[in-house]
């Protein structure tokens, strides 16, 4: 064989190996047609597990404690100097074609905040407290046990619900970056379903019905509406063990990210003790299942309302989460309305827990926006 040809073959061989290696290394989300940016985000999340835990805050850019819509502002940034790495948004009322969500954020503003976050290298996740389609009341109207059944194929509200999903799809399809590419989003839908406070809860539908609702939604958004910029996150409220966690799990083919929601159930030390116990248990369940099934583990929502314990972040949360590899911990929103002065989960300037929060975000393994660019 000519020397030149041999060298060429050698190079081609190396290139093929390299390509195969890259293919093997790349994790694929459940959407086989996911956009490149969505696959990249999924892989970025896997890589970030070795670096630390990203800090998340719900509604971070739209408002904060006692302020609403101030360009560039965020309570977390006011206190720490940087934006959270993960920002959560709430889609409730997008389904009915409203201009603003159930916490008074204009969807047009939300889209801009998501674009700004992406441009900064941050990550967006969305929850959806969609209305009760039977009564027209909120997601918390859970007196019936038949809402999900009416939504499933052949149900009396199936067609109407698909029209609601059309609006959800339109929202996601309207998220494009400056180059016109779809912005990837983590969709944490039908959450806290092991509780009984939403129409999709555990007393409101059977495990089979819940799984069908989930699968129907994924297949409709992905296969009918061609939404390919989503990663799907499964996030029950606290569960007792893996069997409980999986009782309503729609299957590995329908979930990219697993997590749970857990809050301090009160303001005193007894509540904190209960929280620690629930967090430890749920962190084990979620990280255990994630590593078995090759999914990303997260804490979907958490916090201590009004943070009465000024060392909550370094003394309660940090010792719990730093034992585990999880992609992020998302603290719930800081309400802006005057009638909800105690409804906040991250400190604002002047709050007694602000110093502790700064110490928390400065830990090497707690990641802010600047750490994940
Ligand atoms: C709940 C509360 C409500 C809010 C809802 C959806 O936990 O914060 O005030 O409307 O989430 O964001």
């Amino acid at each position: 064989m000519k020397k030149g040809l041999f060298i060429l073959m050698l190079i081609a061989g190396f290139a093929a190996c390299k390509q195969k290696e890259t293919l093997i290394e790349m994790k694929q989300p459940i959407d086989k047609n996911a956009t490149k940016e969505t696959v990249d985000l999924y892989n970025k999340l896997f890589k970030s597990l070795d670096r630390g835990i990203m800090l998340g805050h719900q509604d971070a850019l739209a408002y904060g404690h006692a302020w609403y819509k101030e360009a560039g502002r965020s309570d977390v940034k006011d206190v720490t100097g940087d934006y959270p790495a993960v920002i959560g948004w709430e889609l409730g009322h997008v389904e009915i074609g409203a201009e603003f969500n159930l916490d008074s954020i204009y969807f047009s503003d939300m889209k801009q905040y998501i674009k700004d976050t992406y441009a900064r290298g941050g990550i967006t996740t969305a929850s959806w407290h969609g209305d009760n389609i039977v009564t027209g009341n909120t997601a918390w109207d859970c007196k019936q046990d038949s809402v999900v059944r009416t939504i499933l194929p052949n149900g009396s509200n199936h067609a109407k619900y698909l029209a609601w999903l059309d609006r959800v799809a339109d929202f996601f399809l309207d998220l494009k970056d400056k180059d016109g590419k779809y912005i990837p989003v983590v969709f944490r839908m039908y959450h806290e379903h092991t509780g009984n406070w939403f129409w999709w809860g555990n007393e409101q539908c059977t495990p089979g019905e819940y799984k069908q609702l989930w699968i129907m939604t994924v297949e409709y958004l992905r296969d009918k509406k061609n939404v390919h910029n989503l990663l799907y996150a499964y996030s029950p409220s606290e569960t007792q063990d893996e069997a409980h966690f999986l009782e309503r799990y729609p299957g590995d083919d329908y979930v990219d990210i697993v997590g749970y929601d857990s809050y301090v159930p009160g303001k005193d030390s007894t509540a904190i003790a209960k929280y620690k116990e629930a967090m430890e248990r749920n962190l084990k369940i979620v990280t255990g299942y994630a590593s078995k099934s090759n999914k990303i583990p997260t804490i979907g929502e958490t916090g201590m309302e009004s943070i009465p314990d000024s060392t909550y972040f370094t003394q309660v949360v940090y010792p719990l989460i730093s034992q585990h590899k999880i992609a992020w911990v998302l603290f719930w929103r800081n309400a802006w309305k005057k009638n909800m002065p105690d409804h906040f989960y991250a400190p604002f300037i002047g709050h007694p827990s602000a110093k502790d929060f700064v110490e928390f975000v400065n830990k090497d393994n707690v990641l802010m926006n600047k750490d994940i660019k």
Side-chain angles (χ1 to χ4, degrees):
M1 192 189 294
K2 286 207 175 110
K3 200 175 159 200
L5 183 63
F6 176 73
I7 291 172
L8 262 181
M9 283 173 70
L10 210 63
I11 293 172
F14 267 133
C17 280
K18 190 80 202 142
Q19 202 181 10
K20 203 172 163 201
E21 202 176 89
T22 322
L23 283 178
I24 290 167
E25 274 175 12
M26 286 298 271
K27 309 266 191 195
Q28 283 299 316
I30 59 159
D31 181 355
K32 297 295 162 254
N33 295 314
T35 62
K36 180 186 174 298
E37 291 68 29
T38 308
V39 177
D40 287 349
L41 171 60
Y42 200 42
N43 284 272
K44 178 173 170 167
L45 295 178
F46 277 102
K47 289 207 185 87
S48 77
L49 289 174
D50 289 327
R51 293 186 48 211
I53 301 164
M54 295 186 275
L55 182 109
H57 191 211
Q58 182 75 1
D59 288 351
L61 307 173
Y63 59 78
H65 183 72
W67 62 270
Y68 177 80
K69 199 172 170 173
E70 292 181 25
R73 192 167 175 193
S74 135
D75 279 345
V76 168
K77 181 165 181 281
D78 281 354
V79 171
T80 69
D82 195 10
Y83 292 106
V86 175
I87 298 186
W89 298 105
E90 165 54 37
L91 298 185
H93 289 175
V94 80
E95 73 282 357
I96 55 170
E99 268 186 85
F100 48 84
N101 82 349
L102 43 72
D103 298 316
S104 310
I105 304 176
Y106 281 86
F107 288 110
S108 51
D109 289 338
M110 197 185 290
K111 287 174 188 169
Q112 189 55 49
Y113 297 134
I114 292 172
K115 290 175 193 179
D116 296 345
T117 302
Y118 189 61
R120 273 199 295 267
I123 294 170
T124 290
T125 176
S127 53
W128 180 31
H129 294 76
D131 275 355
N132 177 324
I133 201 163
V134 172
T135 64
N137 296 329
T138 69
W140 291 265
D141 178 2
C142 52
K143 288 190 279 297
Q144 317 79 23
D145 62 2
S146 52
V147 179
V148 172
R149 219 171 310 137
T150 75
I151 288 171
L152 295 176
N154 301 321
S156 55
N157 285 308
H158 182 63
K160 186 176 169 195
Y161 197 74
L162 295 188
W164 281 16
L165 288 180
D166 288 345
R167 295 198 179 103
V168 172
D170 289 346
F171 178 88
F172 290 128
L173 292 174
D174 208 17
L175 298 174
K176 293 192 184 152
D177 70 5
K178 59 175 181 11
D179 302 322
K181 291 188 176 147
Y182 290 113
I183 297 174
V185 170
V186 174
F187 189 23
R188 191 172 62 92
M189 55 186 197
Y190 308 129
H191 66 302
E192 297 181 10
H193 58 287
T194 46
N196 60 359
W197 45 86
F198 297 129
W199 55 256
W200 56 87
N202 69 344
E203 288 174 13
Q204 286 71 20
C205 60
T206 65
E209 287 166 349
Y210 179 85
K211 290 181 202 178
Q212 277 186 66
L213 173 70
W214 183 287
I215 292 169
M216 180 192 92
T217 305
V218 170
E219 290 182 344
Y220 189 72
L221 294 176
R222 183 189 63 189
D223 307 335
K224 292 279 187 325
K225 301 299 295 183
N226 285 315
V227 181
H228 297 303
N229 52 331
L230 296 182
L231 296 173
Y232 291 88
Y234 175 85
S235 197
S237 48
E238 295 158 10
T239 59
Q240 296 310 316
D241 50 32
E242 189 179 276
H244 187 201
F245 179 80
L246 293 178
E247 192 187 21
R248 285 161 190 260
Y249 186 67
D252 288 342
D253 291 345
Y254 290 92
V255 172
D256 296 302
I257 292 170
V258 290
Y260 68 94
D261 295 6
S262 171
Y263 287 90
V264 181
K267 299 205 179 291
D268 57 11
S269 54
T270 317
I272 290 185
K274 278 192 191 151
Y275 175 72
K276 283 183 180 167
E277 189 272 319
M279 288 283 278
E280 254 164 35
R281 186 175 69 248
N282 282 271
L283 276 163
K284 275 191 197 131
I285 296 170
V286 164
T287 55
Y289 189 71
S291 73
K292 260 197 246 179
S293 58
N294 227 343
K295 306 289 177 195
I296 296 284
T298 60
I299 299 178
E301 289 179 31
T302 196
M304 180 174 204
E305 192 180 39
S306 78
I307 326 164
D309 175 349
S310 64
T311 58
Y312 165 72
F313 295 101
T314 61
Q315 304 305 307
V316 181
V317 178
Y318 187 73
L320 289 164
I321 63 174
S322 56
Q323 305 297 315
H324 297 275
K325 281 192 177 180
I326 51 168
W328 66 79
V329 51
L330 183 132
F331 294 98
W332 200 240
R333 68 196 196 101
N334 285 9
W336 60 279
K337 288 189 178 158
K338 286 206 169 63
N339 63 352
M340 301 181 98
D342 291 337
H343 197 54
F344 61 87
Y345 295 87
F348 43 86
I349 285 178
H351 188 270
S353 69
K355 195 170 151 278
D356 183 66
F357 190 63
V358 172
E359 202 182 306
F360 173 72
V361 307
N362 283 340
K363 304 268 188 202
D364 283 348
N365 58 344
V366 175
L367 309 174
M368 298 292 281
N369 193 153
K370 66 171 166 23
D371 303 315
I372 63 153
K373 277 179 183 172

PDB file of all heavy atoms in Angstrom, residues 29-40:
ATOM      1  N   PRO A  29     -32.233  13.373  24.611  1.00  0.00           N
ATOM      2  CA  PRO A  29     -33.508  13.504  25.327  1.00  0.00           C
ATOM      3  C   PRO A  29     -34.581  12.612  24.707  1.00  0.00           C
ATOM      4  O   PRO A  29     -34.358  12.013  23.649  1.00  0.00           O
ATOM      5  CB  PRO A  29     -33.851  14.984  25.161  1.00  0.00           C
ATOM      6  CG  PRO A  29     -32.928  15.560  24.164  1.00  0.00           C
ATOM      7  CD  PRO A  29     -31.844  14.566  23.874  1.00  0.00           C
ATOM      8  N   ILE A  30     -35.757  12.567  25.344  1.00  0.00           N
ATOM      9  CA  ILE A  30     -36.817  11.658  24.847  1.00  0.00           C
ATOM     10  C   ILE A  30     -37.348  12.079  23.477  1.00  0.00           C
ATOM     11  O   ILE A  30     -37.947  11.275  22.791  1.00  0.00           O
ATOM     12  CB  ILE A  30     -37.999  11.578  25.842  1.00  0.00           C
ATOM     13  CG1 ILE A  30     -38.617  12.955  26.065  1.00  0.00           C
ATOM     14  CG2 ILE A  30     -37.560  10.912  27.134  1.00  0.00           C
ATOM     15  CD1 ILE A  30     -40.027  12.911  26.588  1.00  0.00           C
ATOM     16  N   ASP A  31     -37.133  13.318  23.115  1.00  0.00           N
ATOM     17  CA  ASP A  31     -37.551  13.783  21.787  1.00  0.00           C
ATOM     18  C   ASP A  31     -36.405  13.541  20.814  1.00  0.00           C
ATOM     19  O   ASP A  31     -35.398  14.248  20.833  1.00  0.00           O
ATOM     20  CB  ASP A  31     -37.898  15.283  21.855  1.00  0.00           C
ATOM     21  CG  ASP A  31     -38.357  15.819  20.509  1.00  0.00           C
ATOM     22  OD1 ASP A  31     -38.325  15.062  19.515  1.00  0.00           O
ATOM     23  OD2 ASP A  31     -38.739  17.005  20.467  1.00  0.00           O
ATOM     24  N   LYS A  32     -36.583  12.542  19.967  1.00  0.00           N
ATOM     25  CA  LYS A  32     -35.495  12.188  19.047  1.00  0.00           C
ATOM     26  C   LYS A  32     -35.264  13.296  18.015  1.00  0.00           C
ATOM     27  O   LYS A  32     -34.241  13.334  17.345  1.00  0.00           O
ATOM     28  CB  LYS A  32     -35.787  10.854  18.333  1.00  0.00           C
ATOM     29  CG  LYS A  32     -35.868   9.679  19.292  1.00  0.00           C
ATOM     30  CD  LYS A  32     -34.519   9.394  19.981  1.00  0.00           C
ATOM     31  CE  LYS A  32     -34.639   8.545  21.233  1.00  0.00           C
ATOM     32  NZ  LYS A  32     -34.458   9.244  22.516  1.00  0.00           N
ATOM     33  N   ASN A  33     -36.241  14.190  17.878  1.00  0.00           N
ATOM     34  CA  ASN A  33     -36.068  15.321  16.964  1.00  0.00           C
ATOM     35  C   ASN A  33     -35.786  16.617  17.698  1.00  0.00           C
ATOM     36  O   ASN A  33     -36.001  17.709  17.148  1.00  0.00           O
ATOM     37  CB  ASN A  33     -37.329  15.499  16.107  1.00  0.00           C
ATOM     38  CG  ASN A  33     -37.534  14.308  15.197  1.00  0.00           C
ATOM     39  OD1 ASN A  33     -36.597  13.857  14.556  1.00  0.00           O
ATOM     40  ND2 ASN A  33     -38.743  13.775  15.179  1.00  0.00           N
ATOM     41  N   ALA A  34     -35.345  16.499  18.934  1.00  0.00           N
ATOM     42  CA  ALA A  34     -35.039  17.713  19.706  1.00  0.00           C
ATOM     43  C   ALA A  34     -34.017  18.553  18.949  1.00  0.00           C
ATOM     44  O   ALA A  34     -33.115  18.009  18.288  1.00  0.00           O
ATOM     45  CB  ALA A  34     -34.481  17.314  21.069  1.00  0.00           C
ATOM     46  N   THR A  35     -34.144  19.870  19.064  1.00  0.00           N
ATOM     47  CA  THR A  35     -33.202  20.751  18.368  1.00  0.00           C
ATOM     48  C   THR A  35     -31.798  20.548  18.946  1.00  0.00           C
ATOM     49  O   THR A  35     -31.645  20.070  20.086  1.00  0.00           O
ATOM     50  CB  THR A  35     -33.583  22.229  18.556  1.00  0.00           C
ATOM     51  OG1 THR A  35     -33.507  22.526  19.956  1.00  0.00           O
ATOM     52  CG2 THR A  35     -34.978  22.528  18.028  1.00  0.00           C
ATOM     53  N   LYS A  36     -30.817  20.956  18.187  1.00  0.00           N
ATOM     54  CA  LYS A  36     -29.431  20.818  18.636  1.00  0.00           C
ATOM     55  C   LYS A  36     -29.240  21.530  19.978  1.00  0.00           C
ATOM     56  O   LYS A  36     -28.579  21.016  20.887  1.00  0.00           O
ATOM     57  CB  LYS A  36     -28.490  21.414  17.577  1.00  0.00           C
ATOM     58  CG  LYS A  36     -27.047  21.312  17.975  1.00  0.00           C
ATOM     59  CD  LYS A  36     -26.125  22.013  17.003  1.00  0.00           C
ATOM     60  CE  LYS A  36     -24.691  22.008  17.526  1.00  0.00           C
ATOM     61  NZ  LYS A  36     -24.524  22.724  18.781  1.00  0.00           N
ATOM     62  N   GLU A  37     -29.854  22.706  20.111  1.00  0.00           N
ATOM     63  CA  GLU A  37     -29.698  23.495  21.340  1.00  0.00           C
ATOM     64  C   GLU A  37     -30.307  22.759  22.536  1.00  0.00           C
ATOM     65  O   GLU A  37     -29.820  22.863  23.659  1.00  0.00           O
ATOM     66  CB  GLU A  37     -30.350  24.879  21.181  1.00  0.00           C
ATOM     67  CG  GLU A  37     -29.630  25.810  20.204  1.00  0.00           C
ATOM     68  CD  GLU A  37     -29.709  25.374  18.746  1.00  0.00           C
ATOM     69  OE1 GLU A  37     -30.714  24.716  18.372  1.00  0.00           O
ATOM     70  OE2 GLU A  37     -28.784  25.691  17.972  1.00  0.00           O
ATOM     71  N   THR A  38     -31.378  22.013  22.271  1.00  0.00           N
ATOM     72  CA  THR A  38     -32.038  21.271  23.356  1.00  0.00           C
ATOM     73  C   THR A  38     -31.154  20.090  23.783  1.00  0.00           C
ATOM     74  O   THR A  38     -30.983  19.830  24.981  1.00  0.00           O
ATOM     75  CB  THR A  38     -33.434  20.785  22.887  1.00  0.00           C
ATOM     76  OG1 THR A  38     -34.127  21.916  22.365  1.00  0.00           O
ATOM     77  CG2 THR A  38     -34.212  20.170  24.025  1.00  0.00           C
ATOM     78  N   VAL A  39     -30.593  19.418  22.785  1.00  0.00           N
ATOM     79  CA  VAL A  39     -29.671  18.307  23.099  1.00  0.00           C
ATOM     80  C   VAL A  39     -28.460  18.869  23.840  1.00  0.00           C
ATOM     81  O   VAL A  39     -27.988  18.288  24.827  1.00  0.00           O
ATOM     82  CB  VAL A  39     -29.238  17.576  21.797  1.00  0.00           C
ATOM     83  CG1 VAL A  39     -28.223  16.477  22.110  1.00  0.00           C
ATOM     84  CG2 VAL A  39     -30.450  16.996  21.077  1.00  0.00           C
ATOM     85  N   ASP A  40     -27.979  20.013  23.398  1.00  0.00           N
ATOM     86  CA  ASP A  40     -26.825  20.636  24.070  1.00  0.00           C
ATOM     87  C   ASP A  40     -27.157  20.964  25.526  1.00  0.00           C
ATOM     88  O   ASP A  40     -26.351  20.752  26.418  1.00  0.00           O
ATOM     89  CB  ASP A  40     -26.404  21.925  23.351  1.00  0.00           C
ATOM     90  CG  ASP A  40     -25.705  21.637  22.031  1.00  0.00           C
ATOM     91  OD1 ASP A  40     -25.373  20.456  21.780  1.00  0.00           O
ATOM     92  OD2 ASP A  40     -25.505  22.584  21.246  1.00  0.00           O
TER      93      ASP A  40
END
